[in-house]
Amino acid sequence: MYPQVLKTLIATDCIIVGIEEGTLKLLVIKRPIPPLKDRWSLIGTFLGIEETAHQAAHRVLYSATGLNNIYLDQLHTYTRPDRDPGGRVISIAHFALIRIADYHNNSSKQVGSKWFALNDLPKLIFDHDNMVNDALAKLRERAKFNPIAFELLSEYFTLKQLQNFYEELYQQKFDTANFRKKVLSYSFLVKTNKKVKDTSKKGSFLYRYDRKIYEELRSKEFKIRFI
Amino acid sequence: MYPQVLKTLIATDCIIVGIEEGTLKLLVIKRPIPPLKDRWSLIGTFLGIEETAHQAAHRVLYSATGLNNIYLDQLHTYTRPDRDPGGRVISIAHFALIRIADYHNNSSKQVGSKWFALNDLPKLIFDHDNMVNDALAKLRERAKFNPIAFELLSEYFTLKQLQNFYEELYQQKFDTANFRKKVLSYSFLVKTNKKVKDTSKKGSFLYRYDRKIYEELRSKEFKIRFI
DNA sequence: TATAATAATTGTAATTTGTACTTTTATTAT
DNA sequence: ATAATAAAAGTACAAATTACAATTATTATA
């Protein structure tokens, strides 16, 4: 029905972030197809005929990690005509937050993928380095006001782990006493009676995030800030 | 070089927002091509062969408004296979903030376009209503922490006009005394010695936004919030 | 010409939140 | 029993927010 103008392939690339042993990490893959076969790349796919970008991203995430129910959010669409030497391809970048423990527990993950610490990333192909930088900038913006830390922490976590996530993300130390006062001042962090004793003799309580309480608060509260 | 998978047209649609007489408005157009010719639509275009989405959006903004140097930011890419009855088209939505006075002063704007108050919008084609809602949600998020009010206010504005923008955007009244204290506490609003007397007998001073001062502050200040 | 009216602007006092610390607590290894 | 440790709670001061009241500059009208 439309006249012939530019028609291009659509790719979806995923910036997959998780935290392990207090370090933020990115999941990348050895690119399985030319051009630049076997170079480090974000995990991506081409959009299918009857698919949304969101579905395509979930599809590739499942094939790469064996996980469903991953936090996934569209980030930005990259359109530079020369961004891919293999031809004109537009890429819709998404970012995904993963609980790395779940990833490791899952056997059906793709071979050739690897977690790298953010401060030890290899050079990635195309404009993927840009995508990672943009994603991290957005993550930093978003984590100030949105409860996304809980998407990559385990379901049960200590306040120290939560604090550590922010310290990693912003490369900045926060006062522990004040941090816990701040996050506990909202009611959506629910204390359990379980303790973990791997980092201290006293042991620290596990908390969980209650999404419903958060959303109710959010609906009436104009200003919620995590740090 | 790549195998044959889905190739689609890429559109760019612009959510063009401005403020006039204290009311937020959206610029839309009577769609000039089928399908749904002559129905109200966002202003858009198809992406050209050697163009980025950003360039295409600027191109169509210029043809619609006669203005260059418009604040333009990519929002979200819409990919539902059935979103356009004319065929599979992916749309990269942008939002643009315009000084309506500049628009009116410019003679080379496109005919068939019209400003509608946000609370009086006509039904738009395709998923354009969704795009507008998403854009406004993002604008509300962004205006809390980013100096985008100054993109649609005139270069010189009164504090009351600034306050009015926020009151319109959030549909909520703010205390005038506290609002001015808040925004003046940062140093990037520069008072001029000009007064306008159209709304009061005393007259109110005009201010301007100093981007450099803002950016310097931003680089060292973790928390800047406008309201 | 004095005065009432109006919105802009400034001021103030009470409350809340943020910040930098100190102290106490629960537990384990010695 | 005690030293060591990190978690958790407390404290006191500073800064920001909030809800108002008071003052100012100007113009229209008496």
Side-chain angles (χ1 to χ4, degrees):
Chain A
M1 201 155 185
Y2 288 122
Q4 285 302 318
V5 290
L6 170 71
K7 285 196 169 190
T8 74
L9 296 178
I10 313 291
T12 308
D13 289 305
C14 295
I15 295 95
I16 307 175
V17 177
I19 192 165
E20 191 177 35
E21 289 163 14
T23 305
L24 282 168
K25 295 185 176 179
L26 180 78
L27 186 63
V28 296
I29 197 174
K30 283 213 165 170
R31 182 171 163 95
I33 58 170
L36 306 184
K37 187 167 182 308
D38 291 327
R39 295 268 300 278
W40 291 113
S41 161
L42 293 176
I43 292 167
T45 187
F46 290 107
L47 197 56
I49 304 278
E50 283 296 324
E51 228 178 9
T52 65
H54 198 76
Q55 288 165 346
H58 266 302
R59 170 168 59 74
V60 75
L61 278 172
Y62 181 74
S63 79
T65 66
L67 301 175
N68 284 309
N69 294 91
I70 289 177
Y71 175 90
L72 184 65
D73 194 22
Q74 188 184 304
L75 260 183
H76 190 81
T77 299
Y78 295 81
T79 61
R80 280 225 339 265
D82 60 349
R83 56 174 294 283
D84 182 337
R88 178 95 201 236
V89 180
I90 279 175
S91 175
I92 306 174
H94 288 72
F95 87 116
L97 301 179
I98 285 204
R99 294 169 171 160
I100 296 186
D102 293 359
Y103 172 84
H104 285 320
N105 292 339
N106 201 299
S107 58
S108 56
K109 60 210 176 231
Q110 193 169 41
V111 292
S113 63
K114 187 171 174 202
W115 288 98
F116 283 93
L118 283 189
N119 55 16
D120 189 33
L121 287 182
K123 170 86 181 71
L124 305 178
I125 61 165
F126 302 172
D127 49 3
H128 288 192
D129 291 324
N130 284 336
M131 292 183 180
V132 172
N133 286 337
D134 293 351
L136 289 177
K138 217 155 208 171
L139 185 57
R140 287 190 189 100
E141 272 310 299
R142 213 164 283 186
K144 287 181 187 171
F145 311 104
N146 298 93
I148 54 179
F150 314 114
E151 303 292 341
L152 38 64
L153 295 176
S154 307
E155 185 181 354
Y156 295 95
F157 51 87
T158 66
L159 294 184
K160 200 68 189 177
Q161 285 168 343
L162 182 63
Q163 180 182 345
N164 181 256
F165 164 76
Y166 288 107
E167 294 186 337
E168 271 289 298
L169 187 60
Y170 299 103
Q171 292 290 302
Q172 176 176 152
K173 291 288 174 188
F174 299 101
D175 180 285
T176 302
N178 293 333
F179 177 81
R180 64 178 10 253
K181 231 189 311 180
K182 175 82 184 167
V183 296
L184 291 179
S185 72
Y186 307 118
S187 47
F188 48 71
L189 290 191
V190 180
K191 190 178 188 170
T192 71
N193 52 12
K194 281 166 240 148
K195 271 194 171 184
V196 275
K197 293 178 186 159
D198 49 350
T199 57
S200 86
K201 291 167 180 172
K202 181 176 176 181
S204 46
F205 283 103
L206 289 171
Y207 287 76
R208 68 178 179 81
Y209 163 68
D210 191 313
R211 177 192 299 267
K212 278 184 190 153
I213 296 177
Y214 169 77
E215 280 171 1
E216 201 189 319
L217 183 65
R218 174 85 186 212
S219 69
K220 52 190 172 196
E221 188 54 66
F222 199 61
K223 305 178 184 178
I224 297 176
R225 114 164 262 154
F226 288 83
I227 52 160
Chain B
M1 202 156 184
Y2 287 123
Q4 284 301 317
V5 290
L6 169 73
K7 285 195 168 190
T8 74
L9 296 178
I10 313 291
T12 306
D13 289 305
C14 295
I15 295 94
I16 307 175
V17 177
I19 192 164
E20 190 176 36
E21 288 162 15
T23 305
L24 282 168
K25 295 185 177 179
L26 181 77
L27 186 63
V28 295
I29 197 174
K30 283 214 168 172
R31 182 171 163 94
I33 57 169
L36 306 184
K37 187 168 185 305
D38 291 328
R39 296 268 301 279
W40 291 112
S41 161
L42 293 176
I43 291 167
T45 187
F46 289 107
L47 196 57
I49 303 279
E50 283 295 324
E51 227 179 10
T52 65
H54 198 76
Q55 289 165 345
H58 267 302
R59 172 169 56 75
V60 72
L61 278 171
Y62 181 74
S63 79
T65 66
L67 301 175
N68 284 309
N69 292 90
I70 290 179
Y71 175 90
L72 183 66
D73 193 22
Q74 189 184 306
L75 259 183
H76 190 81
T77 299
Y78 294 80
T79 61
R80 279 225 340 268
D82 59 350
R83 57 174 293 283
D84 182 336
R88 178 93 201 238
V89 180
I90 279 174
S91 174
I92 305 173
H94 289 71
F95 86 116
L97 301 179
I98 283 206
R99 295 170 171 159
I100 296 186
D102 293 358
Y103 173 83
H104 286 320
N105 293 339
N106 201 300
S107 58
S108 56
K109 58 209 177 229
Q110 193 168 39
V111 291
S113 62
K114 188 173 173 201
W115 289 98
F116 283 93
L118 282 189
N119 56 16
D120 189 33
L121 288 181
K123 170 84 181 76
L124 305 178
I125 61 165
F126 303 173
D127 50 2
H128 288 191
D129 291 324
N130 284 336
M131 292 182 179
V132 172
N133 286 337
D134 293 351
L136 290 176
K138 217 154 208 170
L139 185 57
R140 287 191 189 99
E141 272 311 299
R142 214 163 285 187
K144 287 182 187 172
F145 310 105
N146 298 94
I148 54 180
F150 315 113
E151 304 292 340
L152 36 64
L153 294 176
S154 306
E155 186 181 353
Y156 295 95
F157 52 86
T158 66
L159 294 185
K160 200 68 188 176
Q161 285 168 344
L162 182 63
Q163 180 180 347
N164 181 258
F165 164 76
Y166 288 107
E167 293 186 336
E168 271 289 298
L169 187 59
Y170 298 105
Q171 292 291 301
Q172 177 176 152
K173 291 287 176 190
F174 299 100
D175 180 284
T176 302
N178 293 334
F179 177 81
R180 66 179 5 256
K181 232 188 310 178
K182 175 83 183 167
V183 297
L184 291 179
S185 73
Y186 308 119
S187 46
F188 48 73
L189 291 191
V190 181
K191 190 177 187 170
T192 71
N193 52 11
K194 282 166 239 149
K195 270 195 172 185
V196 274
K197 294 180 184 156
D198 48 350
T199 57
S200 86
K201 292 166 179 171
K202 181 176 177 180
S204 46
F205 283 102
L206 289 171
Y207 288 77
R208 68 177 179 81
Y209 163 67
D210 189 312
R211 177 193 299 265
K212 277 184 191 156
I213 297 178
Y214 169 76
E215 280 172 1
E216 202 188 319
L217 184 65
R218 174 85 185 210
S219 69
K220 52 190 173 196
E221 188 54 64
F222 199 59
K223 306 177 183 179
I224 298 176
R225 113 164 264 153
F226 287 81
I227 52 159

